[in-house]
Amino acid sequence: MSPVRPRVKVVGRRLDPEHWRVRDFLTRTAQPHQWLEAGTPEADAVLGGLGLPASAIPVLLEQDGTVHTHVTVTSLVHAWQHDDAPKRSDYDVVIIGGGPAGLAAAVYAASDGLKTIVLERDVPGGQASHTSMIENFFGFPDGVGGAELARKAGRQAEKFGAEIMVLRGALGSRINDPNEQVDVLVEGDIELRASVVLAATGMEWRRLDLPRLNDLVGRGVYYGAGRSEAAQCGGDPVVVVGAGNSAGQAVMNLADAGARVTMLVRSDRLGKTMSHYLVTRIEHHPLIDVRLNTELTAVHSDGDRLFAVSFADQDMHPAEALFICIGGVPQTAWCPQEGVLTDAAGYILTGVDLDGRPEGWKLDRDPLPLETSRPGLFAAGDVRHGSTKRVGAAVGEGAMAAALFFQRLNELGVAV
Ligand SMILES: Cc1cc2nc3c(=O)[nH]c(=O)nc-3n(C[C@H](O)[C@H](O)[C@H](O)COP(=O)(O)OP(=O)(O)OC[C@H]3O[C@@H](n4cnc5c(N)ncnc54)[C@H](O)[C@@H]3O)c2cc1C
């Protein structure tokens, strides 16, 4: 992970999906930045001062004068990341997913001397990086930003010697007989061998299936809490779909930034899937209109950008932006083909939930807590069946998994 830089300036277009990705990346990695909308006098002055044409955007200007043109997330990671390839080909522990569970496991595994690497296909922080304020995390009475928490956890893991690879997803894996180590295939044509693997791949936003909707992503439609968008939406009418904590936080972020928010909730009350403190705030916020028993039925675009949505009796409800937070799908496509058992929804079964020794299990012991149906492959956090879907719970499971790794490593005779 790269260290935080002094505040950078970016010139880009708000409604260009590629430019939005850059803004989202900066927000979710807690990199202080000022966004200058292309075509405004301030943006023109920056480009003019650098002698750059408008076609060079997105342009990022660092305080030391370094200029990046045609910026993408990948180009920034390459420019800023110290290491973008693993240092070794075999590790005691390969952690897949750099959300709260994966980062916590990395801190504890590396601090106990295990050769540890975290593979993250996006940016560290996972779902938590989408929230501007986690208010119920242990030890932070005034709340903590998700991106800030992830950055600190990443730094802490690296301090103990863990490697953290950004934009390096796990594509697949297989368990080696007879040595029972796990080979992990990683983006960039990299293959790693691990004695122990932790699945900490959490969840990804569930997509909503409506005509034109997915063409407008980044052009007024956003999956998630829209952290990078909230500041741009002051005074605008916006719509949020969903009723979980992520939707609740999106609504609060937007309303606190001055947006007029309509919240579409499919069920008949808010408190079914949302924390009580959020429900109370939403119900008392003058800029939030909650519509219960209501589903989004259509989106309307003007050329390339969203301008209205339809729901219930509203045919053309004005919407400068639409945020969809309707829960997640567990991310397990990279898991070994050889029978990692999941529940019907795809969440990974571990420990006692496996109900004894699964078919093909060769060891003379039951699966350990957090161990999957494959020895040495553990799962922690939201991807795990029965997990609590909270940052604190994910961190706790990550820490617990790190302790369990030693039992498996002893069994394999790996000296640590
Ligand atoms: C908007 C929002 C607000 C929230 N607010 C709160 C809150 O206030 N309090 C609270 O307790 N909880 C909150 N939550 C829930 C909390 O963030 C999650 O429970 C927690 O992040 C789960 O952590 P995790 O590490 O298990 O999974 P995730 O956070 O989902 O992280 C998984 C990581 O794995 C990566 N990944 C997936 N597949 C691969 C792959 N193949 N290779 C490599 N990497 C991969 C993903 O990119 C991601 O970074 C919120 C969630 C959201 C979305």
Side-chain angles (χ1 to χ4, degrees):
M1 284 173 81
S2 60
V4 171
R5 291 168 183 254
R7 193 174 174 80
V8 300
K9 284 185 179 176
V10 190
V11 178
R13 267 192 302 272
R14 180 182 162 197
L15 287 171
D16 182 309
E18 295 303 321
H19 299 198
W20 163 68
R21 260 178 218 116
V22 172
R23 189 165 71 241
D24 191 54
F25 167 78
L26 295 172
T27 306
R28 289 176 49 221
T29 51
Q31 170 58 51
H33 62 278
Q34 181 187 6
W35 184 265
L36 302 173
E37 186 61 20
T40 60
E42 216 178 348
D44 288 347
V46 169
L47 292 183
L50 296 170
L52 289 172
S55 59
I57 63 168
V59 167
L60 185 146
L61 174 61
E62 298 195 48
Q63 268 188 20
D64 66 2
T66 308
V67 180
H68 307 258
T69 58
H70 303 292
V71 174
T72 62
V73 172
T74 311
S75 72
L76 278 183
V77 169
H78 282 309
W80 287 352
Q81 178 104 346
H82 295 309
D83 306 309
D84 73 347
K87 292 198 174 93
R88 12 178 351 116
S89 58
D90 61 304
Y91 288 84
D92 295 327
V93 183
V94 172
I95 295 169
I96 305 179
L103 291 174
V107 168
Y108 289 99
S111 66
D112 280 340
L114 300 181
K115 294 187 279 292
T116 304
I117 189 167
V118 179
L119 303 173
E120 169 53 57
R121 71 175 173 196
D122 186 22
V123 299
Q127 296 166 66
S129 70
H130 290 275
T131 173
S132 56
M133 195 55 77
I134 301 167
E135 297 204 45
N136 55 1
F137 187 58
F138 173 83
F140 289 88
D142 302 319
V144 56
E148 184 196 340
L149 185 68
R151 182 173 277 286
K152 286 186 171 159
R155 248 182 55 213
Q156 196 175 15
E158 285 177 331
K159 181 184 89 177
F160 289 122
E163 293 171 51
I164 299 179
M165 298 288 118
V166 181
L167 301 187
R168 291 264 188 230
L171 301 176
S173 56
R174 72 175 167 268
I175 296 179
N176 264 306
D177 281 330
N179 63 17
E180 293 183 326
Q181 290 191 313
V182 187
D183 289 333
V184 182
L185 182 64
V186 188
E187 270 177 275
D189 223 4
I190 296 168
E191 199 162 317
L192 300 178
R193 178 155 290 189
S195 300
V196 161
V197 167
L198 178 68
T201 39
M203 304 192 301
E204 188 63 39
W205 301 109
R206 184 173 298 132
R207 300 271 147 170
L208 202 57
D209 192 17
L210 279 180
R212 290 275 296 131
L213 182 80
N214 290 321
D215 298 339
L216 292 172
V217 172
R219 297 187 170 98
V221 172
Y222 305 93
Y223 280 95
R227 269 201 64 202
S228 55
E229 290 321 293
Q232 324 274 332
C233 290
D236 290 345
V238 302
V239 173
V240 175
V241 180
N245 279 332
S246 52
Q249 293 205 347
V251 164
M252 287 306 302
N253 277 346
L254 291 156
D256 285 345
R260 285 172 288 126
V261 190
T262 303
M263 183 179 198
L264 305 186
V265 177
R266 207 165 47 167
S267 71
D268 58 358
R269 68 184 174 87
L270 263 190
K272 272 187 179 163
T273 45
M274 192 184 293
S275 295
H276 178 69
Y277 79 94
L278 276 174
V279 175
T280 310
R281 284 186 204 170
I282 287 171
E283 285 175 348
H284 289 93
H285 204 298
L287 291 177
I288 302 173
D289 174 19
V290 179
R291 304 289 182 103
L292 301 173
N293 301 310
T294 305
E295 289 189 33
L296 184 74
T297 51
V299 292
H300 309 283
S301 58
D302 168 10
D304 259 357
R305 58 165 303 180
L306 178 88
F307 75 93
V309 301
S310 299
F311 55 87
D313 57 341
Q314 300 282 312
D315 248 359
M316 279 288 171
H317 182 88
E320 286 291 313
L322 168 68
F323 299 90
I324 302 164
C325 314
I326 52 169
V329 179
Q331 297 299 291
T332 55
W334 61 272
C335 276
Q337 300 291 306
E338 314 93 343
V340 170
L341 297 178
T342 64
D343 64 17
Y347 292 91
I348 300 176
L349 294 171
T350 55
V352 290
D353 293 327
L354 289 163
D355 229 0
R357 296 180 193 176
E359 208 183 310
W361 183 265
K362 293 183 191 139
L363 302 178
D364 192 20
R365 62 160 174 82
D366 287 354
L368 300 170
L370 305 186
E371 196 172 28
T372 69
S373 51
R374 301 298 309 206
L377 175 59
F378 293 80
D382 281 13
V383 75
R384 196 180 67 77
H385 166 85
S387 61
T388 310
K389 317 286 185 276
R390 290 275 189 274
V391 176
V395 166
E397 289 189 10
M400 178 177 161
L404 294 162
F405 297 160
F406 282 93
Q407 291 194 41
R408 175 62 183 161
L409 292 169
N410 284 337
E411 202 165 63
L412 290 174
V414 176
V416 288

